[in-house]
Amino acid sequence: MNNVIELVGFDGDDTLWHSEGYYQSAHGEFERIIGEYVDLADVRVHDRLLATERRNIKLFGYGAKGMTLSMLESAIDITGQRISATDLHRIIELGKQVLAHPVELLPGIRAAVEAVAQHHRVVLITKGDLFHQEQKVASSGLADLFHRIEIVSEKDERTYRNVLDEFQLAPARFAMVGNSLRSDIAPVVEMGGWGVYMPYHVTWAHETDTDFVDRASRVIQVEGPTGIAGAIEELQGRAAA
């Protein structure tokens, strides 16, 4: 069978462990701080912060540190430089809290990875700040399950091709499991691979910014970790057909 899936990649944040909720909480507190200076509805704080974060990705990368710098920049801009040093310090503390949050696995995810690993090689491909992601991986207790752990600055076709080159595999032999259509699913499917899409209950707006549509039944959506192993086997059947 020339197209049997040999390698399965797993995303980290909001696929293996909870993450986005901590960022959303920080954003909410940020808006409360800014609300002491301006009318939140009038200045569109949420939209302006998101625009700043998107603009700064190429400079700061993904993760809590980039978010914190973008919040500081936005706070100064939105308040017309009126924000106090005390409140700027409060924003810095928000970033530190996100960096220090405990790693809480999604229920059933370890069993799901173990089930997939019984029949396929598995790799972890996660993006974000290197130091923070290394801490999460170490704290998760899942590192021993993966043949390879890749912490990357962006998830695009080049990133996935680099991983596949290391394993000497064609894209048709690779499936990716993740909660982001934009980062986890679209690049892999568009290069000829397969996807298991497991939506998280809250997703950063930047990750929902995609026009990707699965037109070839190369993606299966599951509602939680218990569906992952079955989805991979279903995809393997399609790949072998």
Side-chain angles (χ1 to χ4, degrees):
M1 293 184 294
N2 294 328
N3 292 324
V4 171
I5 295 169
E6 294 186 22
L7 183 69
V8 177
F10 282 83
D11 169 50
D13 290 346
D14 299 320
T15 297
L16 299 182
W17 48 72
H18 297 285
S19 176
E20 182 60 22
Y22 297 103
Y23 288 86
Q24 294 290 334
S25 294
H27 283 172
E29 185 59 32
F30 170 79
E31 292 192 14
R32 282 188 284 274
I33 293 172
I34 298 304
E36 298 172 9
Y37 295 86
V38 298
D39 183 333
L40 295 178
D42 192 45
V43 299
R44 298 178 296 107
V45 170
H46 175 79
D47 292 341
R48 291 174 69 174
L49 175 57
L50 177 61
T52 301
E53 288 179 323
R54 283 175 164 162
R55 187 172 62 248
N56 285 338
I57 284 174
K58 291 183 178 180
L59 292 173
F60 304 146
Y62 294 91
K65 294 175 184 176
M67 177 198 70
T68 304
L69 290 170
S70 291
M71 287 196 300
L72 290 170
E73 179 182 342
S74 297
I76 293 168
D77 176 54
I78 293 170
T79 65
Q81 302 182 12
R82 292 183 295 113
I83 189 167
S84 69
T86 297
D87 285 333
L88 289 175
H89 188 262
R90 288 170 65 190
I91 292 171
I92 292 173
E93 287 301 312
L94 293 177
K96 288 182 177 180
Q97 290 169 16
V98 174
L99 287 168
H101 74 73
V103 174
E104 181 185 0
L105 298 181
L106 270 67
I109 195 63
R110 182 178 181 92
V113 178
E114 289 174 336
V116 174
Q118 289 180 5
H119 305 287
H120 310 270
R121 287 183 290 178
V122 293
V123 293
L124 171 57
I125 307 174
T126 184
K127 73 178 179 184
D129 176 78
L130 177 62
F131 184 62
H132 193 201
Q133 290 295 320
E134 284 180 337
Q135 286 182 317
K136 290 182 181 181
V137 172
S139 299
S140 72
L142 300 176
D144 61 301
L145 299 180
F146 296 99
H147 290 81
R148 185 70 180 266
I149 295 172
E150 296 280 351
I151 299 173
V152 299
S153 58
E154 185 59 273
K155 286 181 178 176
D156 51 20
E157 183 173 329
R158 183 176 65 176
T159 294
Y160 290 112
R161 286 199 181 278
N162 287 340
V163 173
L164 293 176
D165 286 347
E166 292 178 10
F167 284 88
Q168 298 183 317
L169 289 176
R173 294 180 176 269
F174 175 63
M176 184 67 187
V177 181
N179 72 295
S180 170
L181 285 175
R182 180 183 180 275
S183 295
D184 301 318
I185 306 301
V188 173
V189 172
E190 289 171 353
M191 62 192 281
W194 307 84
V196 176
Y197 175 47
M198 187 175 71
Y200 192 67
H201 68 274
V202 59
T203 302
W204 185 32
H206 179 72
E207 291 298 341
T208 64
D209 184 15
T210 178
D211 57 3
F212 170 76
V213 176
D214 175 32
R215 295 185 174 88
S217 298
R218 303 186 75 88
V219 179
I220 294 177
Q221 180 171 327
V222 298
E223 298 309 313
T226 57
I228 293 175
I232 292 294
E233 294 314 301
E234 170 63 23
L235 289 176
Q236 175 156 276
R238 296 180 189 180

